[in-house]
Amino acid sequence: MSDITSRTPNDPLADRVSHPGYPRSNGYDARWTIDNQMGPHALWLLEWLAPALGLDTLSPGSRVLDLGCGRAMTSIFLAREYDVQVTAADLWIKPDENAGRIAAAGVADRVLPVLAEAHDLPFGEHTFDAIVSIDAYQYFGTDDLYLPGLTRLLKPGGRIGVVVPALREEIDGVEPPEHLAPYWEPAFWCFHTAAWWRRHWTRSGAVEVETADWLQDGWRDWLRWSEAVADEHTDPWHVEMAGRSAEMLRLDQGRTLGFVRVVGRRD
């Protein structure tokens, strides 16, 4: 088992990605987080979501679905930090690959990796005490019909919490802001404001929305992380993507892009 929570004293990389707002995330090996990232710092975002979702109030062994878990960093974090049983569901990262990472982190008894598409989840009703999704829900959850189908998997009183890349204000028309046009991708149109997400979930009738808010200065965290990945990752593709993201965020300066968290409770 590798100790992913070990930190080398006076490690410049660890110091670079240490965040005063996320003490639990700071305990994880900086190289491990960079090597397994798939976008913004998933552990920071999950730690921001945690108090609104009430993760500390879950009983040991509670069942949590980590939807769109990527390389299972968030699933490992959930198991280690909150002593819950996690189903780590992803479409792009195969279960065998995640299983090795999960075992190396010492939580094979608490995290089950599965291959699953978000619209075809192989779980029964009332299976989970909570559902979590970090930097993934925007790709499928804007569908008006999606949330009611997903929340059938929650036990009564269970909560769903997501963190998504988001907009400070909704964009009118069909063109992105001029300063972001060189960086804009069609997928960015799934980014929305906190108010949009609150309305979207509320009118679904599937949950009572308890939180829908904007991460103050979240763009700075996103930029800081992108710069670290661009400088430190060993894969050229990740370096290029992170560098492009950093350029975009430096140009935007928080005028448009950031993060929103949304938490809803099933009756």
Side-chain angles (χ1 to χ4, degrees):
M1 183 184 76
S2 62
D3 188 356
I4 60 173
T5 59
S6 63
R7 292 185 61 179
T8 304
N10 303 316
D11 179 3
L13 180 56
D15 292 341
R16 182 175 185 182
V17 299
S18 179
H19 194 298
Y22 306 120
R24 294 193 184 202
S25 300
N26 292 343
Y28 286 74
D29 179 70
R31 172 54 57 189
W32 182 78
T33 60
I34 284 179
D35 288 348
N36 291 297
Q37 61 80 39
M38 294 183 69
H41 197 312
L43 300 190
W44 290 353
L45 298 179
L46 177 53
E47 195 165 352
W48 178 50
L49 175 65
L53 187 57
L55 288 178
D56 277 321
T57 68
L58 291 177
S59 302
S62 294
R63 298 192 65 182
V64 177
L65 172 62
D66 187 2
L67 183 58
C69 69
R71 292 191 172 91
M73 280 203 302
T74 48
S75 302
I76 291 166
F77 186 91
L78 285 164
R80 292 180 67 125
E81 300 298 323
Y82 301 103
D83 195 22
V84 292
Q85 293 287 330
V86 185
T87 299
D90 201 80
L91 178 63
W92 305 115
I93 306 301
K94 298 301 185 283
D96 286 351
E97 181 182 337
N98 274 339
R101 203 165 7 256
I102 291 163
V107 290
D109 60 330
R110 284 173 284 166
V111 180
L112 175 66
V114 300
L115 180 70
E117 201 280 325
H119 296 86
D120 187 22
L121 298 172
F123 313 114
E125 288 193 37
H126 304 168
T127 296
F128 298 103
D129 298 282
I131 298 173
V132 169
S133 185
I134 303 297
D135 188 24
Y137 190 84
Q138 68 276 12
Y139 294 122
F140 42 82
T142 58
D143 181 345
D144 288 337
L145 303 180
Y146 185 73
L147 186 63
L150 177 62
T151 52
R152 70 178 179 80
L153 305 181
L154 281 173
K155 297 176 182 178
R159 288 183 173 90
I160 175 174
V162 308
V163 178
V164 291
L167 302 176
R168 184 181 291 275
E169 296 180 357
E170 286 294 319
I171 297 172
D172 293 329
V174 297
E175 296 296 330
E178 185 176 353
H179 69 287
L180 294 181
Y183 303 93
W184 198 265
E185 300 176 9
F188 288 5
W189 290 113
C190 69
F191 298 171
H192 292 286
T193 63
W196 187 95
W197 281 108
R198 179 181 290 277
R199 184 188 67 174
H200 183 58
W201 280 23
T202 298
R203 69 184 184 181
S204 76
V207 295
E208 177 187 351
V209 179
E210 298 181 329
T211 302
D213 58 359
W214 172 265
L215 177 58
Q216 191 65 32
D217 287 332
W219 73 273
R220 297 182 187 275
D221 296 343
W222 193 353
L223 172 59
R224 181 181 175 189
W225 178 246
S226 295
E227 290 175 338
V229 173
D231 291 344
E232 299 290 343
H233 208 288
T234 56
D235 181 86
W237 185 86
H238 284 284
V239 170
E240 180 182 354
M241 292 299 101
R244 183 172 174 82
S245 174
E247 288 178 7
M248 176 181 69
L249 294 163
R250 279 193 294 267
L251 186 63
D252 186 53
Q253 292 287 303
R255 286 179 285 171
T256 310
L257 298 171
F259 297 103
V260 159
R261 69 179 169 184
V262 193
V263 174
R265 181 182 181 276
R266 177 181 177 176
D267 290 337

